[in-house]
Amino acid sequence: MRDRRSTWLLVVVALIVALGAGGTLYTLLRGGGVSDTATVGPAPAEGDVPEGYLGRWEAGTHRLTVTQGRVGERVLTLTVDRADQHCVLTATLARKPDADGTLRLSAATVTSGACAPGAPTTLTLTPDDHLKRTGRPGTRAATYSRSGT
């Protein structure tokens, strides 16, 4: 009885292996295999952030990175590096850009370091290719320059 079970088990395992190998061979012969010209990497991102905002920006000890995304997705990372403080905050796109291209972002969330969360932020491109970031009403706007790195 035990020999019959072992024999059947071996037959089932051999059948599974044969079907798997046959399916792989069939796929490769039909051209569905790996291409030597295929590129590896993420597909181009689509989103609501206008292209002019994308990239890295700097203003003194503040580095800001704007990435592509849709409403509700994280599009901003702000890093503050001072002698006594390292802090990273992120914000999401609050709504589609205004008619003039202005971006409105959510309040910033602290992801690293000991700093206070930020207020909702507005980003505006200036005619001289700078980025202006405004926060709470009555606070001074920060102006960022494009970073080469």
Side-chain angles (χ1 to χ4, degrees), residues 2-17:
R2 186 172 219 194
D3 286 336
R4 266 193 159 150
R5 283 188 197 162
S6 297
T7 302
W8 276 109
L9 182 60
L10 286 173
V11 169
V12 169
V13 169
L15 183 59
I16 291 171
V17 170

Side-chain angles (χ1 to χ4, degrees), residues 98-117:
D98 294 345
D100 65 355
T102 298
L103 292 182
R104 303 209 181 260
L105 306 175
S106 68
T109 303
V110 178
T111 59
S112 174
C115 56

